Amino acid sequence: LKPEPPEETPIGELPGFAFLSQKSFEKRPAAENIAVPEEKKTAEPFPAPEQTAPTAPGQPLPHETEEVQPSQPEAADERPRENIRVVGELFKTYIVCESGGSMILIDKHAAHERINFENLRRGVNSHGQLLLEPREVFLSPEEYDAVSAFRDKLAGVGLLLEFSDSGKVSVMGMPQYMDTVDPSAMLESIAQMLAQSNDNAAGELFDDVLHMMACKASIRANENQDIAELAYLADRVINDRAIRYCPHGRPVMTQISKRQIEKYFSRIV
């Protein structure tokens, strides 16, 4: 009798291949990252992000409690820019890159969301772009008063509003990079958030508004982007250390070193 061939072990059960399934990209906690030998730790350009404890809605994240200063070119000049090569895209969700002797995976939605949030908070491209036709929205008295109280702050990030006595608010202009966002839906969401909040900390409340605006303006998983768009996102993530978490606290990137990959394939011991 011909002997039966040995049963083949599924690749997902082989040691070291836990990171190769789509589910593991979404669920794998940072604590399970493969340890890097001590002598290589100083060479790694991107330290693994610390775990962020969950926060209640409306509360600032731990890494956002300190006052954020405007961008400081002096500090940026002290660290040379990292070269990065975009290899491609995985599951239409993760940008695959090579940089500094590591393979880097970037969540494109989380990265774009954080970039938009930082641009809003720093006032980058904050001038509003006038709409061809103003969009009118009728708000409740509570929503009207809440939005009116923040009209100057909203104008400062490019959301230009005009108020009338009848409870009508007209959206006259939007931030220039939010041209794909429905102006009426944006104003309605902002009005509801401001009117329903019991938070008296105006700065924290306005940060929540910026989070929402950044999210609505961001690219999504399963959308198609060309290589230039992916390269822009990757370059911002790699060279701006403020972009390590999305505004909701999820990590933006992770990495696997060349040494780790070569050890798995037994090229080195």
Side-chain angles (χ1 to χ4, degrees), residues 185-249:
M186 172 67 75
L187 178 56
E188 289 170 353
S189 297
I190 291 174
Q192 291 173 8
M193 176 178 288
L194 294 177
Q196 294 174 2
S197 176
N198 295 320
D199 192 347
N200 294 323
E204 295 175 6
L205 178 56
F206 192 65
D207 266 3
D208 291 341
V209 172
L210 298 186
H211 291 170
M212 187 264 292
M213 293 177 66
C215 182
K216 287 185 176 294
S218 299
I219 60 177
R220 305 290 184 193
N222 299 316
E223 290 182 352
N224 294 317
Q225 280 77 40
D226 60 34
I227 195 69
E229 292 176 290
L230 299 179
Y232 166 76
L233 293 176
D235 181 74
R236 282 293 305 270
V237 170
I238 300 304
N239 290 292
D240 188 343
R241 290 185 176 272
I243 304 173
R244 289 295 179 266
Y245 296 88
C246 81
H248 307 291

Side-chain angles (χ1 to χ4, degrees), residues 3-18:
E4 295 184 2
E7 184 176 350
E8 189 172 321
T9 304
I11 192 169
E13 298 179 4
L14 292 173
F17 267 91

Side-chain angles (χ1 to χ4, degrees), residues 34 72 107 131 136 165 181 190 207 239 261 265:
I34 303 173
Q72 301 177 0
D107 183 326
L131 303 178
E136 297 179 350
D165 295 335
V181 179
I190 291 174
D207 266 3
N239 290 292
I261 296 172
F265 287 106

Side-chain angles (χ1 to χ4, degrees), residues 120 126-128 139 143-144 146-161 163 169 173-175 186-187 190-191 194 205-206 209-210 212-213:
L120 285 168
S126 60
H127 56 279
L139 303 177
E143 292 172 342
Y144 184 95
V147 173
S148 180
F150 281 86
R151 64 192 305 172
D152 292 337
K153 283 181 173 290
L154 292 171
V157 295
L159 186 58
L160 309 179
L161 305 175
F163 294 79
V169 179
M174 293 276 286
M186 172 67 75
L187 178 56
I190 291 174
L194 294 177
L205 178 56
F206 192 65
V209 172
L210 298 186
M212 187 264 292
M213 293 177 66

Side-chain angles (χ1 to χ4, degrees), residues 10 31 36 49-50 65 103 124 129 163 174 180 183 185 207 220 245:
V36 181
E50 298 178 359
T65 54
M103 180 183 76
V124 178
Q129 180 174 330
F163 294 79
M174 293 276 286
T180 61
D207 266 3
R220 305 290 184 193
Y245 296 88

Side-chain angles (χ1 to χ4, degrees), residues 25 90 94-97 103-107 252-255:
F25 281 126
L90 191 62
Y94 306 99
I95 307 171
V96 184
C97 313
M103 180 183 76
I104 300 169
L105 298 175
I106 298 172
D107 183 326
V252 164
M253 57 167 280
T254 189
Q255 67 174 351

